[in-house]
Short mmCIF file of all heavy atoms in Angstrom, two decimals:
data_model
loop_
_atom_site.label_atom_id
_atom_site.label_comp_id
_atom_site.label_asym_id
_atom_site.label_seq_id
_atom_site.Cartn_x
_atom_site.Cartn_y
_atom_site.Cartn_z
N ASP A 46 2.88 -1.66 30.84
CA ASP A 46 3.62 -2.63 31.66
C ASP A 46 5.06 -2.16 31.80
O ASP A 46 5.82 -2.13 30.82
CB ASP A 46 3.55 -4.00 30.98
CG ASP A 46 4.34 -5.08 31.72
OD1 ASP A 46 5.04 -4.77 32.71
OD2 ASP A 46 4.26 -6.25 31.28
N THR A 47 5.45 -1.78 33.01
CA THR A 47 6.79 -1.21 33.24
C THR A 47 7.92 -2.22 33.04
O THR A 47 9.08 -1.82 32.94
CB THR A 47 6.89 -0.61 34.66
OG1 THR A 47 6.60 -1.63 35.61
CG2 THR A 47 5.96 0.57 34.83
N THR A 48 7.58 -3.50 32.91
CA THR A 48 8.62 -4.50 32.66
C THR A 48 8.76 -4.82 31.17
O THR A 48 9.65 -5.56 30.77
CB THR A 48 8.32 -5.81 33.42
OG1 THR A 48 7.10 -6.37 32.90
CG2 THR A 48 8.19 -5.56 34.92
N HIS A 49 7.87 -4.26 30.36
CA HIS A 49 7.87 -4.54 28.93
C HIS A 49 8.95 -3.69 28.25
O HIS A 49 9.09 -2.51 28.53
CB HIS A 49 6.48 -4.21 28.33
CG HIS A 49 6.24 -4.85 27.00
ND1 HIS A 49 6.87 -4.44 25.85
CD2 HIS A 49 5.41 -5.87 26.64
CE1 HIS A 49 6.45 -5.17 24.84
NE2 HIS A 49 5.56 -6.05 25.30
N VAL A 50 9.70 -4.29 27.34
CA VAL A 50 10.79 -3.57 26.66
C VAL A 50 10.28 -2.46 25.74
O VAL A 50 11.05 -1.57 25.37
CB VAL A 50 11.71 -4.52 25.86
CG1 VAL A 50 12.42 -5.50 26.78
CG2 VAL A 50 10.94 -5.25 24.77
N LYS A 51 9.01 -2.49 25.42
CA LYS A 51 8.43 -1.46 24.54
C LYS A 51 7.46 -0.57 25.31
O LYS A 51 6.48 -0.06 24.75
CB LYS A 51 7.79 -2.12 23.33
CG LYS A 51 8.86 -2.87 22.52
CD LYS A 51 8.36 -3.44 21.24
CE LYS A 51 9.53 -4.19 20.57
NZ LYS A 51 9.20 -4.69 19.28
N LEU A 52 7.76 -0.37 26.58
CA LEU A 52 6.96 0.49 27.45
C LEU A 52 6.73 1.84 26.78
O LEU A 52 7.66 2.48 26.29
CB LEU A 52 7.68 0.70 28.79
CG LEU A 52 7.03 1.71 29.76
CD1 LEU A 52 5.66 1.22 30.21
CD2 LEU A 52 7.95 1.95 30.95
N GLY A 53 5.46 2.28 26.76
CA GLY A 53 5.12 3.58 26.22
C GLY A 53 4.84 3.60 24.73
O GLY A 53 4.42 4.62 24.19
N MET A 54 5.05 2.48 24.05
CA MET A 54 4.82 2.43 22.60
C MET A 54 3.45 1.83 22.30
O MET A 54 2.99 0.92 22.98
CB MET A 54 5.88 1.54 21.92
CG MET A 54 7.26 2.06 21.99
SD MET A 54 8.35 0.91 21.09
CE MET A 54 9.93 1.71 21.39
N VAL A 55 2.81 2.34 21.26
CA VAL A 55 1.60 1.71 20.72
C VAL A 55 2.05 0.46 19.95
O VAL A 55 1.55 -0.63 20.17
CB VAL A 55 0.83 2.69 19.80
CG1 VAL A 55 -0.28 1.97 19.05
CG2 VAL A 55 0.29 3.85 20.60
N ILE A 56 2.98 0.65 19.06
CA ILE A 56 3.66 -0.42 18.31
C ILE A 56 5.03 0.13 17.98
O ILE A 56 5.19 1.33 17.69
CB ILE A 56 2.88 -0.84 17.04
CG1 ILE A 56 3.53 -2.05 16.35
CG2 ILE A 56 2.70 0.31 16.09
CD1 ILE A 56 2.73 -2.62 15.17
N ASP A 57 6.02 -0.71 18.02
CA ASP A 57 7.36 -0.30 17.64
C ASP A 57 7.34 0.11 16.16
O ASP A 57 6.81 -0.63 15.33
CB ASP A 57 8.31 -1.48 17.86
CG ASP A 57 9.77 -1.14 17.69
OD1 ASP A 57 10.10 -0.39 16.75
OD2 ASP A 57 10.57 -1.64 18.49
N PHE A 58 7.87 1.29 15.84
CA PHE A 58 7.90 1.72 14.44
C PHE A 58 8.58 0.68 13.57
O PHE A 58 8.21 0.47 12.42
CB PHE A 58 8.61 3.08 14.29
CG PHE A 58 7.76 4.25 14.68
CD1 PHE A 58 8.10 5.02 15.78
CD2 PHE A 58 6.65 4.62 13.94
CE1 PHE A 58 7.33 6.13 16.14
CE2 PHE A 58 5.87 5.72 14.29
CZ PHE A 58 6.21 6.47 15.40
N GLY A 59 9.57 -0.01 14.12
CA GLY A 59 10.26 -1.06 13.38
C GLY A 59 9.35 -2.23 13.05
O GLY A 59 9.46 -2.83 11.98
N ASP A 60 8.46 -2.58 13.97
CA ASP A 60 7.50 -3.66 13.73
C ASP A 60 6.50 -3.27 12.65
O ASP A 60 6.15 -4.08 11.78
CB ASP A 60 6.77 -4.05 15.01
CG ASP A 60 7.71 -4.66 16.05
OD1 ASP A 60 8.81 -5.14 15.68
OD2 ASP A 60 7.34 -4.66 17.24
N LEU A 61 6.03 -2.03 12.70
CA LEU A 61 5.12 -1.54 11.66
C LEU A 61 5.82 -1.51 10.31
O LEU A 61 5.27 -1.91 9.29
CB LEU A 61 4.57 -0.16 12.04
CG LEU A 61 3.56 0.46 11.08
CD1 LEU A 61 2.35 -0.45 10.87
CD2 LEU A 61 3.12 1.83 11.59
N LYS A 62 7.07 -1.05 10.33
CA LYS A 62 7.86 -1.00 9.09
C LYS A 62 7.99 -2.39 8.49
O LYS A 62 7.85 -2.56 7.27
CB LYS A 62 9.24 -0.42 9.37
CG LYS A 62 10.14 -0.38 8.16
CD LYS A 62 11.51 0.18 8.53
CE LYS A 62 12.44 0.17 7.33
NZ LYS A 62 13.77 0.69 7.65
N LYS A 63 8.25 -3.39 9.30
CA LYS A 63 8.42 -4.76 8.81
C LYS A 63 7.15 -5.24 8.12
O LYS A 63 7.20 -5.83 7.03
CB LYS A 63 8.77 -5.69 9.98
CG LYS A 63 9.02 -7.14 9.60
CD LYS A 63 9.38 -7.96 10.83
CE LYS A 63 9.82 -9.36 10.55
NZ LYS A 63 8.99 -10.16 9.69
N ILE A 64 6.00 -4.99 8.71
CA ILE A 64 4.72 -5.41 8.13
C ILE A 64 4.51 -4.75 6.77
O ILE A 64 4.22 -5.41 5.77
CB ILE A 64 3.55 -5.07 9.08
CG1 ILE A 64 3.62 -5.95 10.33
CG2 ILE A 64 2.20 -5.24 8.37
CD1 ILE A 64 2.70 -5.50 11.45
N VAL A 65 4.64 -3.42 6.73
CA VAL A 65 4.36 -2.69 5.49
C VAL A 65 5.40 -3.01 4.43
O VAL A 65 5.07 -3.13 3.24
CB VAL A 65 4.25 -1.18 5.77
CG1 VAL A 65 4.04 -0.41 4.48
CG2 VAL A 65 3.12 -0.91 6.75
N LYS A 66 6.63 -3.15 4.84
CA LYS A 66 7.69 -3.48 3.88
C LYS A 66 7.42 -4.84 3.24
O LYS A 66 7.49 -4.98 2.02
CB LYS A 66 9.05 -3.47 4.60
CG LYS A 66 10.23 -3.51 3.69
CD LYS A 66 11.51 -3.25 4.47
CE LYS A 66 12.76 -3.35 3.67
NZ LYS A 66 12.86 -4.32 2.64
N GLU A 67 7.08 -5.84 4.06
CA GLU A 67 6.84 -7.18 3.52
C GLU A 67 5.57 -7.25 2.67
O GLU A 67 5.56 -7.91 1.62
CB GLU A 67 6.75 -8.19 4.66
CG GLU A 67 8.08 -8.45 5.33
CD GLU A 67 7.98 -9.36 6.55
OE1 GLU A 67 6.85 -9.79 6.91
OE2 GLU A 67 9.04 -9.64 7.16
N GLU A 68 4.51 -6.59 3.11
CA GLU A 68 3.22 -6.69 2.43
C GLU A 68 3.08 -5.77 1.21
O GLU A 68 2.37 -6.11 0.27
CB GLU A 68 2.08 -6.40 3.41
CG GLU A 68 1.92 -7.46 4.48
CD GLU A 68 1.54 -8.83 3.92
OE1 GLU A 68 0.79 -8.90 2.93
OE2 GLU A 68 2.01 -9.82 4.49
N ILE A 69 3.74 -4.61 1.26
CA ILE A 69 3.53 -3.61 0.21
C ILE A 69 4.84 -3.27 -0.52
O ILE A 69 4.99 -3.54 -1.71
CB ILE A 69 2.92 -2.30 0.78
CG1 ILE A 69 1.76 -2.55 1.73
CG2 ILE A 69 2.58 -1.34 -0.37
CD1 ILE A 69 0.57 -3.26 1.19
N VAL A 70 5.76 -2.66 0.19
CA VAL A 70 6.95 -2.08 -0.45
C VAL A 70 7.76 -3.13 -1.20
O VAL A 70 8.08 -2.94 -2.38
CB VAL A 70 7.82 -1.32 0.58
CG1 VAL A 70 9.08 -0.79 -0.09
CG2 VAL A 70 7.02 -0.18 1.21
N ASP A 71 8.10 -4.23 -0.55
CA ASP A 71 8.92 -5.25 -1.21
C ASP A 71 8.24 -5.84 -2.43
O ASP A 71 8.91 -6.26 -3.38
CB ASP A 71 9.27 -6.38 -0.24
CG ASP A 71 10.27 -5.97 0.82
OD1 ASP A 71 10.87 -4.87 0.71
OD2 ASP A 71 10.46 -6.75 1.78
N GLN A 72 6.92 -5.88 -2.43
CA GLN A 72 6.20 -6.46 -3.56
C GLN A 72 5.96 -5.46 -4.69
O GLN A 72 6.05 -5.80 -5.86
CB GLN A 72 4.87 -7.05 -3.08
CG GLN A 72 5.07 -8.23 -2.15
CD GLN A 72 3.77 -8.84 -1.72
OE1 GLN A 72 2.86 -9.02 -2.51
NE2 GLN A 72 3.67 -9.16 -0.44
#
Side-chain angles (χ1 to χ4, degrees):
D46 178 354
T47 58
T48 64
H49 198 289
V50 296
K51 298 185 182 185
L52 174 64
M54 295 182 183
V55 170
I56 186 174
D57 188 319
F58 282 114
D60 294 340
L61 182 57
K62 178 181 178 181
K63 182 179 187 310
I64 292 168
V65 177
K66 192 170 177 324
E67 290 175 358
E68 292 297 325
I69 314 299
V70 177
D71 288 349
Q72 294 182 43

